[in-house]
Amino acid sequence: MPSENFKALVLRRPAERIEAAVETLTDGDLPAGDVLVRVHYSDVGYKDGLAITGAGHRQLVQSFPFVPGVDFAGVVELSDSVRFKPGDEVIVTGWGVGERHWGGYAKKARVKAEWLVPVPAGMTMRQAMTYGSAGLSAMLCVNALERHGVVAGSDILVTGATGGVGSVAVMLLHRLGYRVHGSTSRAEEEIYLRALGADEIVAAKDISELPAQPLLPERWTGAIDNVGGATLANVLASTAYGGAVAALGLVGGTDLQTTVLPFIKRGVALLGVDSEKCPNETRGAAWRRLVEILPEGLPDDVIEEIGLEALPARAEAIMRGKVRGRTLVAL
């Protein structure tokens, strides 16, 4: 198949600052891999914001030029793998794509076959990227709480509830019959969160700014924490006896100043959730369960669709905490 030109968002670092611009590439510019995918959709998450802006204590992307985009869904165009053939619809999330390996902000991507999972029956490629890593992570968190024995009807806290992971988590928990407490620093988003299924709205500062104590009054049986730092410490201290907290975020910091008391006095479990390198069997099952629980997909008011040109501005907005729900990138 002859090489063709296509558009991509390319990061360059001519000096100290990262610059992002839409450029024209060819198949020959793509990195090595055994599957060539024509990308239909990607999305925007916190890691994409870090990559494009260069924010954080350490730049996420270390080699340039670079095509970011940690997630994408598309159709296999060429394959040297027996697992996939031309025409297969596939999803890529994690495995360092968009961080160390060129990602989904391009019309084409070349990746390793072991990073791919099929788009599940009943889900479109567009729906897959309205979820992306955020939706996959939310599903993995819910699964982790269930495995620990946190049952429907329980009070569950979701921190960072207006973000991508939080929004999907609120919908999943509500649909499964939990009583959902959505925590946010944006009081104006109460209507949005209640529409997703939140029963109670909790101001983020009422958790993060609690006095540092090893144990606090028991408020919920489980939690999905997207924040980390002081928020996670206080969530653990406020979790009821035998409860569990699924943790996957760090926007509030990587330090965890806590004690062993929630664990040895209340039997609270801290469940680490990783969506980047979890086995394909695990992620495939999670994608299929998303279809089962939310067969209609996410509502339109949770999704905003943009093109490549709008990505730099959207990345800046994500880093300022000004984006809610899911941002879909149409290629």
Side-chain angles (χ1 to χ4, degrees), residues 82-102:
V82 297
R83 295 181 57 229
F84 298 97
K85 64 183 185 303
D88 287 347
E89 295 184 357
V90 293
I91 301 169
V92 174
T93 59
W95 302 113
V97 173
E99 302 177 60
R100 300 178 296 278
H101 187 93
W102 283 21

Side-chain angles (χ1 to χ4, degrees), residues 217-233:
E218 300 176 44
R219 299 178 65 181
W220 34 73
T221 304
I224 294 176
D225 177 58
N226 298 288
V227 180
T231 293
L232 176 55

Side-chain angles (χ1 to χ4, degrees), residues 153-158 161 166 169-183 193-194 196-202:
S154 303
D155 287 87
I156 306 294
L157 173 72
V158 178
V170 169
M171 291 188 65
L172 290 169
L173 291 165
H174 171 73
R175 189 66 60 90
L176 290 168
Y178 292 89
R179 180 172 174 79
V180 185
H181 300 245
S183 171
L193 286 174
R194 290 195 182 276
L196 295 182
D199 298 285
E200 301 290 341
I201 308 302
V202 182

Side-chain angles (χ1 to χ4, degrees), residues 8 13 25 38 55 62 75 80 101 117 132 143 164 171 189 212 218 230 266 284-285 305 327:
R13 191 174 61 185
L25 302 179
R38 182 173 292 274
Q62 296 293 308
V75 177
D80 294 327
H101 187 93
V117 294
N143 289 345
M171 291 188 65
E189 299 293 4
E218 300 176 44
R266 290 184 181 165
E305 187 170 316
T327 300

Side-chain angles (χ1 to χ4, degrees), residues 72-74 84 88-92 116-128 287-288 291:
F72 65 82
F84 298 97
D88 287 347
E89 295 184 357
V90 293
I91 301 169
V92 174
L116 300 169
V117 294
V119 176
M123 181 181 289
T124 67
M125 290 183 288
R126 185 181 190 277
Q127 285 177 327
W287 282 112
R288 292 190 294 274
V291 178

Side-chain angles (χ1 to χ4, degrees), residues 241-287:
Y241 188 92
V245 178
L248 74 158
L250 47 69
V251 296
T254 57
D255 292 338
L256 182 57
Q257 301 296 325
T258 188
T259 73
V260 299
L261 291 183
F263 312 117
I264 66 173
K265 289 293 188 181
R266 290 184 181 165
V268 172
L270 177 57
L271 312 174
V273 174
D274 165 59
S275 63
E276 181 179 355
K277 293 182 179 179
C278 69
N280 277 349
E281 295 80 5
T282 302
R283 68 179 69 213
W287 282 112

